[in-house]
Amino acid sequence: MSERGARATEGEQNQPSAVLERLSWQLARRDDQRVAQGLYSGEAIEEMHELSEAGLLDEFFVFLEELGMMAALEQVELAGVQRVLVPTVQFVLLYLLKVLFGGQSMNELPRWLFSNMALMELVGFNARQVEEGLTKRGDAQRISKKKQGPLTPQCLATNISKLSREQMERLFNQMVKLVGGWGLLDGERLAALDGSKLETPKTYEGCGKLKQTRRVKVKGQKERATEEYYVYGWKVLVLIDVQTRLPLAMKVVKIEEYEGRWLLPLLEQAQRNLGTHGHIGTIVVDRGYLDGQDLWQVHQQGVLFVVVGKANMTVTQDAQALAKGERGQARERVVRHGHGKTAREERLRTELVGIESLTTYDSYGDPEQTQYAHRRDYEGQPINAVVVRRWDNRIPATDGTVYLTNGPVGDPFVVFDTYDWRSVIENGIFKEGKHPWHLARFPKRTEAAVIVHCHFTLLVMALTTAFRLWQAKPAAVLAHSREIASSLSTALLAGEGTARWRQRLKEENRDKVIVFVADVYGIFHLAELAVLAGLPLQRLPSQLGSPKAILERYGISP
């Protein structure tokens, strides 16, 4: 199918409902018992394929249905498209699969997705469409290379990129609300906000432009020179719940845009997404969000914040000076190095000092007040600080890092440990997003494609994390899945990252097949399939039990 396969043509006014009715689109439905009984009675098999990635989709789609996300995906429409050969929901699901299974580029989709009969049938295409395509366009020029799937990568890229920024933001926010309503984000939450650059060539349509400097070595000179250069692209800002690593709000902006202006909008959007189920009690941010008036607004909303002060700020220098005369609080931990006879232990000491009610952060307050900061008698709003005097035995070369906060500093290690959660967003969202999830590999070289891809990637990452947490809960909790304990966190995933999780799924499903009978499908181990089909086996895997046990498991009386 070409790029024009789903393009509107003038004069045709086919209604979406008529298209859906004509194509009879629906997801395949799993019914192992029905298929098993059909196999045992000799009923004809319509399709049978090795399971591979399709093993994940079964429970994942069940989760999306129960969550309400599948209904949200079905409501997405391509604005201005009047005649389609493929319903919008199938474009959405195909791109969802591309992200879910870690597809790096659009051009590889025909090889591993579009030609995968099991996956394509699970999202609504039939075998004839997968083998012959949806149209005959281009068949006359095709000599040796056969068709791979019902549509081309260019068709999917072009049509998925037609979704607007507003549609993607609405879909993402809807996902967060559904996840929160399911009980995964109940109670008071600790959030982190940060941004990450998505650099592209300057040929990308609509990309931003940021001037930067770097030190370069000049031939024949000992000292390095300073050089200016430009980077192009966009920046993705994400506010996450650090305990579950679920994103609560996001924004895609040009690479040169000031991140700080989005602190309040993203915090407010995240609070709206959580609704009455949860509430952000604390937020940690880096120096990019160090704006006194914005932090004052965060304080007025009853949210605690922790941010690192800049070295040239008066309030930072005052905190460092006061800390020199104060008695600090210390914490020690023992670290073991080496193994066996060469093993040794090292005692690491960290010393902190809490400073209360500093009033020299001139921009911290309402604009009506901070406009008089130049006066000699001006006194700013009080803010607390934590000064790091020693960190794991290392004494800082300067006067120490200073954390600014509106929270109590009686125990400065509470503030110190809270800020440490900011590393979760860098490691759990941006590093994971750019490698196993390919956040920076866009379907087209346009701004619209970048926005759609970023929202889809973060959306699928969040749904996958929520799905894995949902799977990890004990059976007693799953029976009452809306009563999930507030202690839910990614600790349930035992440190298993996305790449290892995908590899484990392939290993678990490599000896299984998916069988389509009538309008349903079933998933069976190869040995189970042989027993159901009446083939004698001398030995069965121990985990499957005896042939009699297999038949009884599917409600069949031998």
Side-chain angles (χ1 to χ4, degrees):
M1 182 178 178
S2 71
E3 294 183 19
R4 295 175 295 175
R7 189 177 299 172
T9 57
E10 297 182 3
E12 294 188 343
Q13 301 292 330
N14 293 29
Q15 297 298 318
S17 59
V19 173
L20 292 176
E21 183 179 352
R22 173 167 56 84
L23 293 177
S24 300
W25 179 86
Q26 62 177 3
L27 287 173
R29 180 173 59 87
R30 181 174 179 178
D31 190 339
D32 287 354
Q33 187 169 350
R34 160 72 181 85
V35 177
Q37 291 174 349
L39 292 172
Y40 188 73
S41 63
E43 191 172 342
I45 296 176
E46 292 195 2
E47 298 284 345
M48 183 173 68
H49 313 285
E50 55 92 17
L51 194 58
S52 65
E53 291 89 351
L56 164 64
L57 289 190
D58 176 53
E59 288 191 37
F60 187 68
F61 277 4
V62 170
F63 172 72
L64 294 186
E65 288 281 3
E66 294 190 15
L67 186 67
M69 195 62 208
M70 192 63 73
L73 297 175
E74 292 175 8
Q75 294 171 2
V76 177
E77 296 181 357
L78 292 175
V81 177
Q82 299 173 342
R83 183 178 68 86
V84 294
L85 291 177
V86 177
T88 303
V89 66
Q90 283 185 290
F91 284 127
V92 171
L93 286 175
L94 285 176
Y95 204 78
L96 183 148
L97 294 187
K98 184 258 185 191
V99 175
L100 179 65
F101 294 125
Q104 295 189 48
S105 71
M106 298 300 295
N107 291 330
E108 69 178 3
L109 293 184
R111 176 180 55 82
W112 68 266
L113 176 58
F114 294 166
S115 58
N116 188 317
M117 199 76 72
L119 286 176
M120 297 301 283
E121 289 190 5
L122 284 177
V123 297
F125 293 97
N126 58 45
R128 183 173 176 274
Q129 291 171 331
V130 175
E131 291 179 356
E132 301 178 8
L134 294 173
T135 71
K136 299 295 184 181
R137 184 178 289 115
D139 284 1
Q141 288 77 34
R142 194 178 298 277
I143 301 175
S144 58
K145 188 177 179 180
K146 66 176 184 178
K147 283 188 175 180
Q148 290 182 301
L151 70 167
T152 64
Q154 293 75 24
C155 174
L156 176 59
T158 297
N159 284 282
I160 204 69
S161 299
K162 291 178 181 178
L163 296 174
S164 66
R165 178 191 289 268
E166 292 73 23
Q167 283 179 296
M168 294 310 304
E169 290 180 350
R170 185 165 55 249
L171 185 65
F172 179 87
N173 292 331
Q174 192 171 1
M175 177 274 296
V176 179
K177 292 174 183 176
L178 291 172
V179 170
W182 194 252
L184 296 174
L185 294 166
D186 285 352
E188 187 168 302
R189 316 305 304 182
L190 170 59
L193 172 62
D194 203 359
S196 181
K197 296 184 181 69
L198 303 174
E199 295 185 23
T200 67
K202 62 181 179 181
T203 53
Y204 270 56
E205 175 189 316
C207 67
K209 180 180 179 180
L210 175 66
K211 180 188 287 187
Q212 293 188 327
T213 59
R214 59 189 171 195
R215 304 282 289 177
V216 295
K217 187 175 182 180
V218 180
K219 187 176 181 179
Q221 297 183 11
K222 292 183 178 181
E223 295 186 0
R224 292 179 177 268
T226 301
E227 177 186 70
E228 290 185 348
Y229 68 103
Y230 290 95
V231 293
Y232 302 86
W234 286 264
K235 189 184 297 180
V236 58
L237 314 178
V238 187
L239 189 152
I240 72 164
D241 171 64
V242 298
Q243 190 177 26
T244 59
R245 298 190 183 184
L246 290 171
L248 305 179
M250 67 171 291
K251 192 74 178 180
V252 181
V253 299
K254 299 289 180 65
I255 197 169
E256 72 274 13
E257 190 158 339
Y258 169 54
E259 294 181 28
R261 67 178 289 246
W262 293 104
L263 171 59
L264 291 174
L266 287 175
L267 179 60
E268 291 166 359
Q269 182 63 62
Q271 298 281 27
R272 287 195 297 271
N273 290 342
L274 289 172
T276 58
H277 303 285
H279 174 75
I280 296 175
T282 305
I283 185 169
V284 292
V285 292
D286 67 6
R287 293 182 178 92
Y289 301 88
L290 195 57
D291 182 282
Q293 293 181 7
D294 288 343
L295 293 175
W296 176 253
Q297 290 298 318
V298 173
H299 172 70
Q300 293 297 97
Q301 293 178 18
V303 178
L304 300 182
F305 63 81
V306 182
V307 60
V308 176
K310 294 180 180 179
N312 61 354
M313 294 173 63
T314 303
V315 67
T316 299
Q317 296 167 357
D318 286 350
Q320 292 168 337
L322 291 170
K324 293 178 180 179
E326 296 289 333
R327 182 176 180 179
Q329 297 187 32
R331 183 171 69 185
E332 293 185 350
R333 62 190 181 98
V334 176
V335 177
R336 186 179 177 86
H337 302 282
H339 302 280
K341 294 182 179 180
T342 61
R344 62 183 180 85
E345 291 185 347
E346 182 183 12
R347 188 175 297 276
L348 301 178
R349 181 181 178 88
T350 299
E351 294 181 8
L352 308 177
V353 178
I355 307 293
E356 295 182 337
S357 301
L358 294 166
T359 58
T360 50
Y361 189 4
D362 290 348
S363 64
Y364 183 60
D366 284 320
E368 292 78 8
Q369 178 190 10
T370 58
Q371 64 178 324
Y372 302 112
H374 61 282
R375 294 185 177 181
R376 294 181 63 182
D377 60 346
Y378 176 81
E379 186 171 293
Q381 295 289 345
I383 192 170
N384 300 331
V386 171
V387 182
V388 181
R389 241 175 9 196
R390 180 191 299 264
W391 193 335
D392 285 348
N393 292 347
R394 296 191 302 270
I395 299 176
T398 58
D399 291 325
T401 302
V402 175
Y403 298 97
L404 301 176
T405 180
N406 60 337
V409 293
D411 182 356
F413 282 96
V414 173
V415 175
F416 180 78
D417 293 336
T418 297
Y419 188 80
D420 192 50
W421 281 105
R422 203 187 68 81
S423 62
V424 171
I425 193 170
E426 179 63 34
N427 297 319
I429 296 295
F430 296 134
K431 286 187 178 179
E432 280 270 306
K434 290 181 179 180
H435 298 289
W437 294 99
H438 305 295
L439 178 63
R441 301 295 295 269
F442 310 113
K444 297 190 71 175
R445 292 172 172 259
T446 65
E447 183 174 20
V450 171
I451 292 171
V452 168
H453 177 73
C454 289
H455 281 86
F456 256 112
T457 303
L458 268 296
L459 182 143
V460 176
M461 286 176 65
L463 288 174
T464 303
T465 300
F467 167 65
R468 295 179 65 193
L469 292 173
W470 177 76
Q471 279 187 317
K473 294 304 293 179
V477 177
L478 285 177
H480 304 85
S481 50
R482 293 187 182 276
E483 301 175 6
I484 296 178
S486 60
S487 61
L488 180 68
S489 74
T490 49
L492 284 170
L493 306 182
E496 184 182 50
T498 302
R500 286 168 54 196
W501 173 67
R502 287 175 179 154
Q503 184 61 38
R504 177 172 60 82
L505 287 176
K506 288 186 178 181
E507 292 174 357
E508 291 176 353
N509 293 314
R510 63 189 175 190
D511 294 326
K512 296 180 181 179
V513 291
I514 181 169
V515 180
F516 291 85
V517 173
D519 59 344
V520 296
Y521 71 92
I523 295 176
F524 306 99
H525 191 280
L526 285 169
E528 285 183 313
L529 179 66
V531 171
L532 294 170
L535 299 176
L537 288 179
Q538 291 185 350
R539 184 180 178 183
L540 289 171
S542 58
Q543 70 271 20
L544 298 179
S546 64
K548 181 180 178 181
I550 292 174
L551 295 177
E552 290 177 349
R553 185 157 57 242
Y554 296 109
I556 300 172
S557 300

